[in-house]
Amino acid sequence: MKALIFSVSAGGGHGRAAEAVKDYIDIYSPGSCVKIIDTLKYINPIIDKVIIGSYLKTIKITPSLFGKLYDYSETDYGLATISSKFNEIMTYRLLPLINEFDPDILIATHPFPTEMLSILKIKHKIEIPTVSILTDYAPHSFWLHPCIDAYVVSNADMIPEMVSKGIPKNTIYDIGIPVCPEFLKQYDRNKTLTEINFSTTKPTVLIMGGSLGMGKIETIYEELLFSDDDFQILVITGNNKKLYYELMKYQNSYYTCKKTYIIGFTDNVNKYMQASDLLLTKPGGLTITEALICKIPIGIFSPIPGQEEKNAEFLLKHNLAINLSKKETANAQVVDLLFNTDRMREIKLSCDKFSKPYVGRDLFNLITRLINKNNYTPDYKDDDYKKKDSNNKGFFKSIQKQFLKTAEKLFSM
């Protein structure tokens, strides 16, 4: 099998999903040729730096603006048109890669490449089977485009909304978000706790904020740290080195009354999830999926406005989490759940209901079926994309003007 997987390095989830897909193809079809493309970086490193840099800065400094953009883009067709035209301009730079690689299947784990592949199919430049893997727990219009052969979603709640927006129901597959096969490895809880000098009998709370270590981790950690209740705290700060060193100051203080352990970036998140009784986190799509597989109850904090707020709504609706954004203190809510055996058991049963540990196998079977149904041999003409690319260069300025007008409108909201 030959597969091209298109992702974008906005946060860690899209890339982790892409890596997981590659791993499963390699497991079920040894000898396959699979390549992951960081789409924007491949097209133009400068564009990638501007777009991804702006995205990360926005969600860190002014997340409310990102939320406005998220909601606005659902209903404002002018903004959608600008985005589509910009993507169309960049799309044709993918054709030489697709032509040279000659894949059997195309897979996208981010809305940008999903739209680009849709454009190529609409323009009849390719007829290769195309799969889009939605990495959140609610759909957004940016993900939904014509001519995508299969949409892989995390839960059945997403299907009616996607159908209402024009996606054929028979192209939507409730398979789940792929996680790294290594994540399914089972670890001994007592051994893990002993390795970090934790008690094997006390409840353990794990706090994390995704690969970027975002959210009010320090605030929650400090509150729990000085609680009188008897539990221990494990924190994963991800790539946030500043947060790591700030928390280490607390850990080394003589005034704390809790056993704690601080970890920076780690590839063993599953190991620590399996050793913990409660996960406190911002509700990123991949983190949620991993928690459901580990059957660990979740406490939600600092959701990014837009996609993560929708994820939080899903979790609360299905009794998979508690909301730490309420007025009550985090400690009170954590203790109420942590020492309530019946409530914890109830949430774990709900996690088991929505967990999809066989996503890798099911996704590979779907990909295989799509490839077997496809009889088209790609025949690209280099002159076509070169001409199109050349003609579109002069269009950037007009697109910029429209984009700036939309941005001014957003900032004034």
Side-chain angles (χ1 to χ4, degrees):
M1 181 185 299
K2 297 182 71 177
L4 272 179
I5 305 173
F6 293 92
S7 188
V8 171
S9 54
H14 304 289
R16 276 156 49 207
E19 291 286 351
V21 175
K22 181 181 185 304
D23 289 343
Y24 286 117
I25 292 175
D26 289 338
I27 288 171
Y28 290 106
S29 180
S32 291
C33 185
V34 185
K35 189 171 184 178
I36 297 175
I37 305 299
D38 191 336
T39 312
L40 294 182
K41 191 173 290 185
Y42 175 84
I43 291 171
N44 189 309
I46 296 175
I47 290 176
D48 173 73
K49 188 174 182 179
V50 170
I51 293 177
I52 301 306
S54 300
Y55 165 77
L56 295 177
K57 186 175 181 179
T58 301
I59 62 175
K60 285 181 180 179
I61 300 174
T62 54
S64 60
L65 176 61
F66 182 82
K68 288 181 180 179
L69 179 61
Y70 180 94
D71 294 334
Y72 190 54
S73 60
E74 277 277 42
T75 56
D76 187 84
Y77 293 103
L79 181 61
T81 301
I82 293 171
S83 173
S84 293
K85 191 63 184 177
F86 186 71
N87 272 344
E88 183 175 349
I89 293 169
M90 295 192 294
T91 292
Y92 287 87
R93 302 191 182 187
L94 296 180
L95 269 175
L97 168 67
I98 296 173
N99 184 25
E100 181 180 353
F101 193 83
D102 190 20
D104 302 306
I105 191 82
L106 298 170
I107 302 166
T109 63
H110 189 277
F112 284 175
T114 296
E115 182 170 13
M116 291 176 184
L117 297 178
S118 168
I119 289 168
L120 290 177
K121 298 200 78 170
I122 290 170
K123 301 289 186 180
H124 300 290
K125 297 297 180 181
I126 59 172
E127 293 294 338
I128 303 166
T130 303
V131 179
S132 179
I133 299 174
L134 280 67
T135 54
D136 282 299
Y137 281 72
H140 186 278
S141 295
F142 271 151
W143 279 100
L144 310 180
H145 304 282
C147 299
I148 300 298
D149 298 281
Y151 283 94
V152 173
V153 299
S154 59
N155 66 91
D157 287 8
M158 298 170 68
I159 298 176
E161 184 176 348
M162 292 173 68
V163 171
S164 73
K165 293 179 178 179
I167 303 302
K169 188 175 182 179
N170 64 353
T171 65
I172 307 172
Y173 296 84
D174 177 20
I175 289 174
I177 301 172
V179 298
C180 174
E182 180 67 19
F183 203 91
L184 302 175
K185 180 179 177 180
Q186 296 297 308
Y187 288 90
D188 182 271
R189 177 181 185 273
N190 290 345
K191 183 179 179 182
T192 300
L193 293 175
T194 301
E195 287 174 354
I196 59 175
N197 200 27
F198 267 23
S199 168
T200 58
T201 57
K202 290 182 181 181
T204 302
V205 176
L206 170 61
I207 308 174
M208 57 185 286
S211 63
L212 299 175
M214 291 178 59
K216 57 178 184 178
I217 294 176
E218 185 175 357
T219 302
I220 291 176
Y221 175 68
E222 183 179 5
E223 185 180 333
L224 297 183
L225 194 60
F226 294 96
S227 163
D228 294 329
D229 299 284
D230 195 17
F231 57 88
Q232 50 204 3
I233 307 171
L234 174 62
V235 186
I236 299 176
T237 62
N239 291 312
N240 192 334
K241 293 182 180 180
K242 180 181 178 182
L243 176 65
Y244 175 82
Y245 291 115
E246 286 296 321
L247 298 190
M248 287 301 291
K249 293 178 184 178
Y250 287 102
Q251 180 175 275
N252 296 329
S253 169
Y254 291 106
Y255 300 102
T256 60
C257 53
K258 285 278 187 300
K259 185 69 178 178
T260 69
Y261 192 80
I262 314 299
I263 303 171
F265 180 82
T266 177
D267 289 322
N268 293 316
V269 171
N270 56 330
K271 177 179 178 179
Y272 297 112
M273 278 191 184
Q274 291 176 37
S276 302
D277 299 285
L278 177 63
L279 169 67
L280 310 184
T281 184
K282 57 189 286 297
L286 264 291
T287 301
I288 291 172
T289 304
E290 292 165 353
L292 293 178
I293 288 175
C294 291
K295 300 177 180 60
I296 180 172
I298 305 170
I300 305 163
F301 64 81
S302 305
I304 296 173
Q307 66 220 41
E308 290 192 354
E309 286 182 337
K310 295 290 186 181
N311 292 346
E313 288 175 12
F314 170 84
L315 292 172
L316 297 171
K317 173 185 175 181
H318 292 287
N319 190 34
L320 299 164
I322 58 172
N323 186 3
L324 300 183
S325 300
K326 292 182 178 179
K327 292 182 180 179
E328 299 96 322
T329 65
N331 182 66
Q333 295 178 80
V334 166
V335 171
D336 284 347
L337 176 59
L338 199 58
F339 294 97
N340 186 332
T341 306
D342 291 339
R343 182 88 172 92
M344 290 285 281
R345 184 185 304 113
E346 190 179 293
I347 293 180
K348 286 183 179 181
L349 287 173
S350 296
C351 289
D352 190 43
K353 178 181 176 182
F354 287 95
S355 173
K356 293 184 170 67
Y358 302 110
V359 57
R361 178 201 64 191
D362 295 340
L363 180 59
F364 178 79
N365 288 339
L366 170 62
I367 290 171
T368 303
R369 289 199 303 272
L370 291 172
I371 292 173
N372 290 339
K373 285 172 61 178
N374 182 59
N375 295 315
Y376 180 80
T377 302
D379 182 21
Y380 313 118
K381 296 179 180 179
D382 288 355
D383 289 343
D384 287 344
Y385 74 79
K386 286 179 181 176
K387 182 178 179 182
K388 185 76 174 180
D389 195 42
S390 176
N391 291 340
N392 279 327
K393 286 179 181 178
F395 196 76
F396 268 111
K397 290 186 179 179
S398 61
I399 288 294
Q400 275 184 324
K401 289 180 181 178
Q402 294 179 59
F403 187 81
L404 286 172
K405 285 181 181 179
T406 305
E408 287 173 4
K409 187 174 181 181
L410 281 170
F411 275 106
S412 64
M413 291 172 67

